[in-house]
């Protein structure tokens, strides 16, 4: 690309009523040309557009010229073109013939109908279900392979997963469940005290925490904290082609990556659920003691 080319411009000579066009009228100059159109207001009734100084012109430059001509026609000017090369004249004539059909605005996006969206979403769900069934089958095959050859079990990696998903989650679970126990007793106690039934706070809070809040909050914490961590780790391994490298070396990625995480979660989840239940009961017990 020629970096020394003269920029496109329009110069007005008021004495002769001439607009001298020069430079490269191409797509790279369309912004500067359109900004100059707003400053062009010739005084005379007759206007001559001189294109002898135009070095090059493409269809976008010809379209800008047609905008200029249309603006002058709107001012009731008499326009005459001169100095344009034969190639530029033919390009200007071609653009002038199609200027009414040129649409610069992008077409509006096509909105699919309701049946198409339902079918597309159903197709996505079927693909997800198919992938889930494949994963379950691969995990079962890997588990059977570990039962046949226990030496293939990744004990160290599984213990690391138990530490990550269980031991490191103990503080946040203790804090959340104790606060939930406090709030639960406070909300129920105020209502039951009106009817003299504050004794039942013990049974209600115990049943709510042990049956509902303890397992539910534990599952939410594991899903938000641990599952996102697993997704990021496996995604990074996929981007770095580490999973492909394991397959190339004859090592099963399911057995090496997925199985330790599944077994680690199966071991740690019941333990941290008991831990969460215990602190939920402790929080509700402390609140009950202080209120009643």
């Amino acid at each position: 690309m020629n970096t020394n080319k003269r920029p496109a411009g329009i110069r007005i000579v008021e004495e002769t009523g001439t607009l001298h066009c020069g430079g490269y009228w191409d797509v790279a100059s369309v912004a500067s040309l359109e900004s100059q159109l707003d400053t062009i207001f010739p005084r005379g009734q007759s206007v001559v557009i001189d294109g002898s100084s135009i070095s090059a012109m493409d269809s976008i430059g010809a379209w800008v010229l047609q905008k200029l001509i249309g603006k002058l026609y709107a001012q009731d000017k008499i326009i005459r073109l001169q100095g344009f090369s034969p190639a530029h004249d033919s390009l200007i004539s071609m653009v002038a013939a199609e200027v009414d059909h040129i649409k610069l605005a992008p077409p509006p996006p096509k909105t699919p109908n309701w049946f198409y969206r339902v079918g597309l979403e159903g197709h996505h769900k079927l693909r997800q279900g198919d992938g889930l069934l494949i994963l379950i089958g691969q995990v079962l095959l890997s588990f059977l392979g570990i039962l046949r050859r226990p030496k293939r079990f990744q004990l160290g990696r599984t213990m690391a997963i138990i530490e990550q998903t269980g031991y490191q989650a103990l503080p946040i679970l203790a804090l959340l469940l104790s606060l939930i126990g406090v709030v639960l007793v406070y909300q129920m106690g105020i209502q039951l005290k009106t009817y003299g039934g504050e004794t039942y706070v013990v049974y209600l809070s115990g049943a709510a925490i042990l049956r509902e809040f303890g397992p539910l909050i534990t599952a939410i914490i594991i899903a938000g904290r641990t599952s996102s961590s697993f997704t990021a780790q496996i995604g990074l391994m996929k981007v770095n082609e580490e999973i492909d490298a394991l397959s190339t070396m004859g090592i099963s990625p399911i057995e090496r990556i997925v199985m330790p995480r599944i077994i680690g979660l199966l071991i740690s989840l019941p333990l941290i659920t008991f831990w969460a239940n215990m602190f939920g009961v402790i929080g509700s017990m402390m609140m009950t003691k202080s209120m009643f």
Side-chain angles (χ1 to χ4, degrees):
M1 182 178 66
N2 184 10
T3 58
N4 297 323
K5 66 180 184 180
R6 188 159 56 92
I10 304 173
R11 183 171 55 89
I12 305 177
V13 180
E14 295 291 351
E15 292 79 7
T16 59
T18 304
L19 301 180
H20 291 277
C21 303
Y24 284 75
W25 285 52
D26 53 12
V27 65
S29 306
V30 62
S32 63
L33 286 173
E34 286 192 309
S35 63
Q36 294 179 49
L37 295 183
D38 299 331
T39 62
I40 297 174
F41 296 98
R43 297 177 183 176
Q45 184 67 23
S46 178
V47 178
V48 176
I49 300 177
D50 185 9
S52 58
S53 300
I54 294 180
S55 304
M57 177 183 285
D58 59 7
S59 58
I60 298 297
W63 174 78
V64 175
L65 182 62
Q66 288 299 322
K67 284 190 66 176
L68 173 61
I69 294 173
K71 178 182 177 181
L72 295 176
Y73 274 135
Q75 300 174 9
D76 297 328
K77 304 293 184 182
I78 300 173
I79 302 168
R80 183 169 59 90
L81 302 181
Q82 72 176 22
F84 289 91
S85 66
H88 294 167
D89 279 332
S90 61
L91 182 61
I92 293 170
S93 301
M94 181 184 67
V95 173
E98 300 293 334
V99 69
D100 295 334
H101 306 288
I102 296 176
K103 297 180 181 179
L104 296 181
K110 294 182 179 179
T111 303
N113 57 32
W114 183 81
F115 292 101
Y116 177 81
R117 294 198 301 270
V118 170
L120 184 62
E121 189 65 26
H123 175 70
H124 290 165
K125 296 303 180 183
L126 287 176
R127 293 289 300 274
Q128 292 176 3
D130 181 55
L132 179 61
L133 289 177
I134 292 174
L135 177 62
I136 292 174
Q138 290 176 339
V139 168
L140 289 176
L141 290 176
S142 298
F143 184 72
L144 293 176
I146 290 174
L147 290 180
R148 289 198 304 267
R149 299 178 181 177
K151 292 183 179 181
R152 294 165 57 179
F153 178 62
Q154 303 288 327
L155 180 60
R157 192 175 297 273
T158 303
M159 295 301 296
I161 296 298
I162 292 175
E163 179 186 5
Q164 178 184 351
T165 59
Y167 177 73
Q168 296 179 6
L170 295 181
I172 185 66
L173 282 173
L175 176 63
L176 282 178
L177 265 299
S178 60
L179 292 177
I180 286 175
V182 169
V183 173
L184 197 62
V185 168
Y186 179 75
Q187 294 292 336
M188 291 190 302
I190 293 177
Q191 304 300 325
L192 292 174
K193 191 175 181 180
T194 306
Y195 305 100
E198 59 266 21
T199 306
Y200 296 102
V201 171
V202 178
Y203 305 101
L204 291 176
S205 62
I209 291 172
L210 296 178
R211 293 182 182 180
E212 301 292 340
F213 285 100
L216 179 63
I217 298 301
T218 303
I220 292 174
I221 293 298
I222 292 301
R225 176 182 176 275
T226 305
S227 300
S228 59
S229 174
F230 287 170
T231 304
Q233 292 172 2
I234 296 175
L236 185 61
M237 294 177 68
K238 183 67 175 178
V239 171
N240 293 334
E241 299 182 353
E242 297 177 28
I243 297 178
D244 296 335
L246 290 174
S247 301
T248 303
M249 292 185 293
I251 300 174
S252 173
I254 298 295
E255 187 176 311
R256 186 79 174 181
I257 301 172
V258 178
M259 287 302 298
R261 287 170 167 79
I262 292 179
I263 295 175
L265 282 174
L266 288 175
I267 295 174
S268 63
L269 271 176
L271 300 177
I272 61 177
T273 300
F274 172 78
W275 171 271
N277 289 338
M278 182 176 63
F279 273 88
V281 171
I282 290 175
S284 62
M285 180 181 66
M286 295 173 60
M287 192 63 183
T288 305
K289 182 68 175 177
S290 64
M291 284 184 65
F292 309 113

